[in-house]
Amino acid sequence: MTSMSSIVLAASEHADVVPVAADGVFSWMWLLVAIPAVSAAILLIGDGAGDHGPLDRFGHLLGTAAAIASFVVGVVGFVALLGQDVAERAVTQDLWTWMQVGGFDVTMSVYYDQLSALFVLLITGVGSLIHVYSIGYMAHDPRKRRFFGFLNLFIAAMLVLVLAGDYLVLFLGWEGVGLASYLLIGFWQEKRSAAVAAKKAFIVNRVGDLGLALGIMLMFAQFGTTNIHEVGLNVTNASQSVATALGLLLLLGACGKSAQVPLQSWLLDAMEGPTPVSALIHAATMVTAGVYLVVRSAAIYDLSEVARTAVVIVGCVTLLFGAWIGCAKDDIKKALAGSTMSQIGYMMLAAGLGPAGYAFAIFHLITHGFFKANMFLGAGSVMHGMNDDVDMRHYGALRKLMPLTFITFAMGYLAIIGFPGFSGFFSKDRIIESAFATNFWAGLAALLGAGVTAFYMTRVMILTFFGERRWREDVHPHESPKIMTVPLIVLAALSVVGGALTFSDWIEDWLTPVTGSEHHELGVPAWVITLIIVAVVAVGASLAYVLFARRDVPDTAPQQVSVFTRAGRADLYGDAVNEAVFMRPGQYLTRSLVYVDGTGIDGAVTGTAELVGDGARGLRRLQTGFVRTYAAEIFGGALVLVLALLAVNLA
Amino acid sequence: MSFPWLTVLMVVPLVGAVLVAALPRSRPELAKWTALGVSLVSLGISLAVLAQFDLDSGGFQLSEQHEWIEPLGVHYALGVDGIGLTLILMTTILVPIVIVAGWNDADGARWSVKTFFALMLALEGLVIGVFAATDVFLFYVLFEAALVPAYFLIGGYGGARRSYAALKFLMFSLAGGLLMLASVIGMWVISSSQGDPSFLLADMKDLSVGTVEGRWLFLGFFIAFAVKAPMVPLHTWLPDAASAATPGTSVLLVSVLDKLGTFGMIRFCLGLFPEASEWASPVVITLAVISILYGALLAIGQDHMMRLIAFTSVSHFGFIVLGIFALTSQSASGSTFYMFNHGLSTAALFLIAGFLIQRRGSARISDFGGVQKIAPIMAGLFLIAGLASLSLPGLSTFVGEFLVLAGTFTRSTTAAVFATLGIVLAALYILLMYQRTMTGPLREDNRGVTDMVPREIVAIAPAVVLLIGLGLFPQPILDLVNPAVSETLEHVQVGDPEPKTPSFPIAEGSSK
């Protein structure tokens, strides 16, 4: 990495933030969490109270209303925050003492600032749209009420995560979204694959949690506090190695939650969940929590170049890794999931650039939230019309029968490949530029990724909406009902115009107090880079056009394919590695321990008992019941006694 | 003289036991209702004790003291501090839950129904006595006496291998108890050599015990408690006992009786032998971390549901012991809080697993599958109990576990890092069990499993409410525990490690 000279400057900018106590509108921000939480409780506890009650008929409306109400509170808060002085845009409200023992003091507090305000809007806004969409998508599911209960639970937990003023409270939300994700991936749990995928997601995430939990413990041991703001202040006094350790531990947590290499394997399986869940949790919001964590911990990363470099490496590797997988998948949801990994890789890369990239990470996170949610819901709309078939080889020529789905999906497509003028164009362009300005190789990886993105997304587009009809016989594709298409239209509109956030550097300036800012000069004018990016994207898209639009698409995936395709289909052997390195040795270890416990440890104890028993049985032979034996024994005993006495006296 | 609250609290269940045992054998329902009534009265009394407990003044409260065997210096002396009171509350909360959940468990058993419930009440009374005893001799007597009802509960009402399991439990406990008896006598010898002998805890704390003697005497107590707690490698009686006993008995055994071990470690190991405790702490911490990982790995490898839950407890007790011997206020308060909540979460797990096993007629996890479809309430509550067992934030077990880990981290980073691996293993053993029993396609031979009946829901609900409520608002109990823990640690003369990084001068007007 070059030019990290402004470290001290950036760090001192964080120190300038002085949170102010909440008053007025801001003292109501806890409602953001409380509304969906209460609604979730009603919907889930009511679950036991018999079926077909009023809650079953109106539960989904309650759940949706709760999400929308939370969004309204979010908008009110955001508008109020716009009206505050820049110096007073970090608002904090202590609610109650969660736990206090000795010097360990964790307060349940709301910390509402520029960064959390944007997240609140994204979570509740996209969340509300997905609730609305789900009314249509889940209309015939007998356990619809529970589904909405889980969705509300997710919204509440995710808001706890982004509004937390303390790392431990953040951890509460972190695990809460993990739980909601577990419940929703496995929502159709009578499917074994769904149940297994849910468990896998939870356990892989727990490996990441190990990092976050240890990070929080290290903060307490070092600073005596886990309050995010105070940790940020105190870390400037800490040694380099402490900052690096903290950065790496938090990165491990971020890798788990955001499905970054090496903890990426759960995300593709997570597509077993209902599609609205994939859109909300596994594309737009929860999986970006890792990026949030890194940006929120900017004060820590600013102090450690090693940790930042690690973030950049993870981001670069994952952005290529996910794109590769995206190219090889025939399952539309898995192709999109690979793409999600890849796009989050971009965000991570940007976050690893430090103050030069934090704001762009968040910018891309938001636009990605729009266009990826849009495309996932679009995929759901397609599946809805195709009897829940996910194999793109069975699609084709759907653009005429599903015009709204097609057009909205196309907006998302243009956004993600970075077509000039669409939201993704701006956000990805900024990241690639900053990457080039900081490190040539990171920039090159990001540029290459942009080309591959264009390739696999064009492939998805062509296989689904263009070409020949390749439908199964009993399938009658049809457009989805309005309740599903209206959210699509809104998200498509946001995918188009979302780039406006960066006009006159609004989002950069808005986030500067939280993230600091830094500008690296490129060796060439910015428009040159932009032109190169657009050219690479055009190459990727054209290549896909040549390969997939000009040729027939086989009904089953061809087996005679390159090593690259085979690797991509196998998720680049992530599962195989996990199985060989962790699962099988683990199973062997538990089995041997069970054996050792039964025969070794317990055997030692029961063995002793048996020894005593055997000894007793041996002694029992002396008790024969014959007088002559007892007489002999008495005589023998007397003899021993006499001899012993003699021996003592003579000695 | 003030009202003897603690004596009443201890005697009510004991008298209740006699009363229930005296009821006619032909009226089992009457015995059940009487037992439930007595347990609820005990719960009420314990809440009254809580109401009178003064959080601010600390120390032992509601104390009673009478000469018992004067020449030996034995007293009948009771008193509670925050730690003892917390565990008494746990006991009085769990016994009604167990009675309601195990309402029909003794029907058709070899022994009579009334005896089953009488034994439970007797156990409750004796355990309360142990938690309240402030005389070492009285503690020892009650500690050993509590074995008797437990032995008969396992041996009289359990499953196929009940006799073997009961005897194994008794032998392990007696062996440990014998070592403790030797140490108790040793303490008396020291006491009588320094003036009039006295078994009062307060007097024995002030004895000057030589370093070597102290360490030997410490070991006697510690091994007895380690058997009870159960720590690896002294744990093998527990899975056998838990798999042979009725679910309710398993709860009393693991959630309540085993706590005598970890409670004893705080009060007697740390209280009487501060120097030896500190001396032994590196070894004990190592054993505790081994217990955490070993118990968890063995739980993953089990197919028998009750054995699995028993091994999760071996792992959880590892956390509790770790917290005690890490000797920080966070870890020790966390341990005590964890004891309380481990009682609740393990009770819920054992009892719901018991409901499942009873309906299916098998305890093997591999005999289940897809139960969620026909028993959603049972599945939901089982999941919550499981999540409590894996210490999900938001549930009360997390608070205890995290305090233990955070406190330990300040003392021994290595131990904390290895112990934290337990959170991944916990997710594995719980979610594997949940997946294999509750999810997937419904197996044909599982169709007979019905959902929980209202009685069973009523039994489990209080535990679930407390697990969630204390997960978000743990402070009331922590406030109860904190003063007692800091007094104990002051006695051991260790302070919490200071934060390692000098603090940043915080600007005026900041949030704190």
Side-chain angles (χ1 to χ4, degrees):
Chain A
M1 295 246 176
T2 56
S3 93
M4 284 292 168
S5 52
S6 49
I7 285 170
V8 180
L9 176 83
S12 66
E13 277 179 52
H14 298 294
D16 285 345
V17 175
V18 180
V20 296
D23 56 358
V25 176
F26 298 114
S27 54
W28 293 95
M29 287 297 117
W30 55 271
L31 277 175
L32 283 167
V33 177
I35 296 170
V38 169
S39 168
I42 293 171
L43 291 171
L44 294 177
I45 294 171
D47 213 27
D51 290 329
H52 311 299
L55 259 184
D56 260 343
R57 266 174 286 145
F58 304 114
H60 54 284
L61 298 181
L62 173 66
T64 310
I68 293 173
S70 200
F71 176 63
V72 170
V73 177
V75 170
V76 171
F78 182 70
V79 170
L81 205 61
L82 282 173
Q84 294 275 99
D85 271 355
V86 176
E88 292 180 351
R89 280 190 185 150
V91 188
T92 177
Q93 182 185 18
D94 291 353
L95 298 175
W96 72 86
T97 298
W98 188 13
M99 52 184 106
Q100 181 273 315
V101 178
F104 190 77
D105 191 342
V106 178
T107 305
M108 283 281 188
S109 60
V110 176
Y111 187 84
Y112 187 72
D113 70 349
Q114 296 92 330
L115 182 59
S116 29
L118 287 181
F119 265 89
V120 166
L121 288 180
L122 177 73
I123 295 159
T124 56
V126 174
S128 298
L129 289 170
I130 287 171
H131 275 75
V132 171
Y133 177 94
S134 302
I135 294 175
Y137 194 85
M138 301 298 282
H140 304 296
D141 196 291
R143 298 186 310 152
K144 186 169 49 167
R145 183 181 54 179
R146 192 183 306 180
F147 181 80
F148 280 87
F150 290 161
L151 278 189
N152 277 183
L153 175 68
F154 169 76
I155 298 277
M158 189 74 202
L159 290 169
V160 169
L161 199 166
V162 298
L163 289 169
D166 192 291
Y167 277 104
L168 201 62
V169 181
L170 183 148
F171 192 58
L172 170 69
W174 188 267
E175 294 281 281
V177 294
L179 172 66
S181 163
Y182 168 79
L183 294 169
L184 284 163
I185 295 170
F187 185 72
W188 289 316
Q189 50 183 317
E190 59 277 8
K191 274 166 65 186
R192 197 178 298 281
S193 54
V196 171
K199 179 197 67 190
K200 182 178 177 184
F202 197 97
I203 287 166
V204 175
N205 266 292
R206 275 250 146 170
V207 176
D209 295 346
L210 212 59
L212 183 50
L214 286 171
I216 297 173
M217 291 175 215
L218 179 58
M219 288 170 195
F220 172 64
Q222 285 292 330
F223 313 127
T225 177
T226 54
N227 179 297
I228 297 177
H229 183 67
E230 286 170 26
V231 167
L233 295 176
N234 283 319
V235 77
T236 50
N237 288 353
S239 67
Q240 187 72 32
S241 52
V242 167
T244 301
L246 279 176
L248 294 178
L249 287 169
L250 296 183
L251 176 62
L252 180 61
C255 283
K257 195 64 66 192
S258 292
Q260 299 291 291
V261 178
L263 298 178
Q264 80 294 344
S265 65
W266 63 272
L267 184 64
L268 291 157
D269 295 13
M271 295 299 121
E272 289 286 342
T275 306
V277 172
S278 312
L280 176 61
I281 302 184
H282 304 119
T285 54
M286 184 192 83
V287 284
T288 59
V291 180
Y292 172 81
L293 180 68
V294 173
V295 174
R296 181 54 92 192
S297 309
I300 294 169
Y301 286 96
D302 286 347
L303 293 170
S304 167
E305 187 171 344
V306 176
R308 271 197 318 267
T309 310
V311 175
V312 168
I313 291 172
V314 164
C316 287
V317 169
T318 311
L319 87 86
L320 294 173
F321 196 100
W324 187 343
I325 292 174
C327 295
K329 292 289 176 184
D330 292 332
D331 177 329
I332 186 169
K333 286 181 73 181
K334 294 207 168 171
L336 288 176
S339 157
T340 302
M341 272 169 62
S342 172
Q343 298 301 311
I344 299 172
Y346 273 104
M347 300 169 208
M348 276 291 175
L349 161 59
L353 299 176
Y358 292 132
F360 300 136
I362 299 300
F363 180 32
H364 194 55
L365 192 157
I366 291 170
T367 60
H368 174 259
F370 296 152
F371 60 67
K372 190 53 73 61
N374 173 21
M375 283 193 287
F376 259 113
L377 295 184
S381 175
V382 169
M383 287 161 56
H384 200 66
M386 303 295 288
N387 291 1
D388 288 328
D389 194 344
V390 290
D391 192 340
M392 291 189 288
R393 293 183 183 276
H394 304 164
Y395 294 170
L398 291 175
R399 68 181 182 283
K400 297 226 175 74
L401 285 158
M402 302 183 175
L404 272 174
T405 306
F406 166 64
I407 292 174
T408 52
F409 197 95
M411 298 300 116
Y413 161 75
L414 294 171
I416 193 175
I417 66 168
F419 194 82
F422 286 70
S423 60
F425 167 75
F426 295 102
S427 57
K428 201 182 287 178
D429 187 83
R430 294 284 187 282
I431 292 178
I432 300 175
E433 272 176 30
S434 333
F436 268 118
T438 315
N439 179 303
F440 175 76
W441 294 105
L444 199 63
L447 181 64
L448 181 62
V452 184
T453 306
F455 175 80
Y456 69 73
M457 284 313 303
T458 308
R459 174 173 174 269
V460 169
M461 222 31 214
I462 292 171
L463 289 184
T464 306
F465 293 105
F466 294 89
E468 302 286 314
R469 298 180 173 191
R470 301 181 300 275
W471 313 335
R472 305 295 92 171
E473 286 187 357
D474 54 340
V475 170
H476 308 286
H478 53 84
E479 185 57 276
S480 297
K482 271 217 179 70
I483 192 99
M484 289 165 67
T485 49
V486 169
L488 284 177
I489 294 168
V490 177
L491 285 168
L494 290 169
S495 309
V496 178
V497 303
L501 287 173
T502 191
F503 292 173
S504 64
D505 291 339
W506 181 82
I507 193 163
E508 293 91 320
D509 293 344
W510 174 255
L511 287 174
T512 296
V514 186
T515 60
S517 73
E518 204 177 85
H519 192 69
H520 298 297
E521 283 308 318
L522 279 161
V524 291
W527 61 264
V528 176
I529 298 275
T530 307
L531 265 188
I532 295 174
I533 298 170
V534 171
V536 168
V537 166
V539 169
S542 320
L543 198 61
Y545 178 76
V546 171
L547 282 177
F548 300 106
R550 294 280 194 79
R551 299 185 195 174
D552 285 341
V553 178
D555 193 59
T556 50
Q559 295 308 305
Q560 300 298 320
V561 291
S562 67
V563 189
F564 296 107
T565 314
R566 224 171 292 151
R569 282 183 191 162
D571 306 345
L572 301 186
Y573 307 109
D575 286 335
V577 169
N578 284 346
E579 209 169 285
V581 178
F582 299 107
M583 232 173 80
R584 274 200 230 108
Q587 281 170 344
Y588 183 73
L589 176 67
T590 35
R591 266 190 232 127
S592 1
L593 281 181
V594 170
Y595 178 76
V596 167
D597 195 62
T599 53
I601 297 186
D602 197 37
V605 178
T606 47
T608 314
E610 270 161 27
L611 213 62
V612 173
D614 288 348
R617 268 188 292 280
L619 288 174
R620 204 167 59 187
R621 292 207 197 106
L622 298 175
Q623 313 284 322
T624 57
F626 294 116
V627 177
R628 60 171 186 268
T629 318
Y630 293 135
E633 283 168 17
I634 291 168
F635 177 72
L639 197 66
V640 169
L641 207 66
V642 169
L643 288 177
L645 283 172
L646 278 176
V648 171
N649 281 342
L650 292 178
Chain B
M1 191 185 117
S2 60
F3 186 76
W5 281 103
L6 295 176
T7 300
V8 172
L9 183 57
M10 175 171 80
V11 166
V12 163
L14 290 175
V15 171
V18 175
L19 196 70
V20 171
L23 289 172
R25 199 190 168 98
S26 57
R27 301 190 58 190
E29 288 299 308
L30 182 64
K32 293 174 184 178
W33 283 106
T34 314
L36 178 60
V38 171
S39 69
L40 288 174
V41 170
S42 306
L43 174 60
I45 300 172
S46 66
L47 292 176
V49 168
L50 176 66
Q52 299 187 43
F53 191 85
D54 183 2
L55 284 179
D56 299 326
S57 61
F60 284 99
Q61 300 185 23
L62 302 166
S63 302
E64 304 166 33
Q65 189 177 323
H66 306 280
E67 296 279 350
W68 181 11
I69 310 172
E70 210 185 331
L72 295 180
V74 176
H75 300 76
Y76 172 82
L78 300 179
V80 284
D81 61 0
I83 300 172
L85 183 53
T86 303
L87 294 173
I88 288 176
L89 282 171
M90 177 194 77
T91 309
T92 54
I93 291 169
L94 282 178
V95 170
I97 288 178
V98 166
I99 290 177
V100 174
W103 201 249
N104 302 323
D105 280 1
D107 298 0
R110 199 162 46 136
W111 294 5
S112 71
V113 171
K114 61 173 189 173
T115 314
F116 182 67
F117 291 100
L119 287 170
M120 284 194 174
L121 290 178
L123 184 62
E124 179 179 17
L126 293 171
V127 168
I128 291 173
V130 176
F131 288 137
T134 52
D135 179 280
V136 177
F137 188 84
L138 180 66
F139 169 83
Y140 173 76
V141 170
L142 292 170
F143 184 85
E144 295 289 61
L147 294 178
V148 178
Y151 172 77
F152 287 115
L153 277 170
I154 303 171
Y157 298 89
R161 277 164 67 83
R162 57 179 178 258
S163 303
Y164 171 78
L167 189 64
K168 197 170 179 181
F169 159 72
L170 195 68
M171 293 316 290
F172 268 82
S173 298
L174 284 178
L178 204 61
L179 292 176
M180 182 160 76
L181 178 63
S183 285
V184 170
I185 294 171
M187 286 301 285
W188 181 81
V189 169
I190 294 176
S191 172
S192 51
S193 72
Q194 296 178 12
D196 288 338
S198 164
F199 272 111
L200 279 180
L201 185 61
D203 293 341
M204 283 200 161
K205 271 187 175 176
D206 293 339
L207 293 177
S208 61
V209 183
T211 310
V212 179
E213 292 91 330
R215 289 174 181 179
W216 280 105
L217 295 173
F218 164 85
L219 280 180
F221 277 94
F222 179 77
I223 292 172
F225 297 144
V227 168
K228 192 128 292 183
M231 285 183 78
V232 177
L234 304 173
H235 64 283
T236 55
W237 64 270
L238 182 71
D240 286 330
S243 57
T246 66
T249 307
S250 298
V251 173
L252 293 180
L253 216 54
V254 177
S255 291
V256 179
L257 201 61
D258 286 355
K259 300 287 160 50
L260 299 186
T262 42
F263 167 77
M265 287 181 195
I266 295 189
R267 179 158 296 169
F268 296 95
C269 289
L270 263 52
L272 293 178
F273 312 105
E275 190 279 335
S277 297
E278 215 183 333
W279 161 75
S281 67
V283 176
V284 178
I285 285 175
T286 310
L287 280 175
V289 172
I290 290 173
S291 285
I292 292 170
L293 300 177
Y294 185 85
L297 285 170
L298 278 192
I300 294 170
Q302 301 300 315
D303 189 40
H304 190 293
M305 234 185 278
M306 293 307 202
R307 290 183 73 86
L308 189 153
I309 300 170
F311 275 113
T312 68
S313 284
V314 172
S315 182
H316 293 155
F317 275 106
F319 276 108
I320 297 171
V321 175
L322 176 66
I324 295 170
F325 280 87
L327 300 174
T328 65
S329 58
Q330 289 83 27
S331 65
S333 285
S335 281
T336 311
F337 192 66
Y338 201 33
M339 283 191 229
F340 183 90
N341 295 296
H342 166 269
L344 297 170
S345 74
T346 307
L349 266 185
F350 265 130
L351 295 174
I352 299 172
F355 300 152
L356 260 177
I357 292 166
Q358 189 189 33
R359 286 157 163 82
R360 174 66 180 84
S362 165
R364 293 164 58 85
I365 292 171
S366 48
D367 283 344
F368 288 89
V371 173
Q372 189 278 333
K373 193 144 186 79
I374 41 176
I377 299 174
M378 179 143 54
L381 291 175
F382 197 48
L383 183 62
I384 296 178
L387 293 172
S389 184
L390 63 80
S391 293
L392 189 83
L395 299 172
S396 55
T397 42
F398 169 73
V399 177
E401 192 174 291
F402 194 83
L403 285 171
V404 166
L405 290 171
T408 305
F409 195 98
T410 61
R411 189 76 72 192
S412 162
T413 310
T414 320
V417 169
F418 277 101
T420 311
L421 290 176
I423 71 170
V424 179
L425 300 177
L428 263 171
Y429 58 65
I430 290 298
L431 295 184
L432 274 173
M433 173 165 72
Y434 184 80
Q435 181 206 323
R436 289 175 183 165
T437 53
M438 293 298 182
T439 68
L442 177 65
R443 281 172 52 151
E444 274 309 310
D445 50 6
N446 278 199
R447 286 210 178 272
V449 178
T450 48
D451 210 343
M452 280 161 67
V453 297
R455 169 182 60 79
E456 292 165 335
I457 297 174
V458 166
I460 302 298
V464 170
V465 168
L466 282 172
L467 285 170
I468 297 173
L470 290 173
L472 295 174
F473 303 95
Q475 203 57 37
I477 300 225
L478 288 175
D479 283 339
L480 193 61
V481 169
N482 282 343
V485 165
S486 52
E487 274 168 41
T488 306
L489 292 178
E490 269 165 37
H491 182 69
V492 187
Q493 292 179 326
V494 289
D496 290 344
E498 287 293 315
K500 294 192 176 62
T501 299
S503 125
F504 186 91
I506 290 171
E508 273 177 53
S510 83
S511 66
K512 279 278 158 176

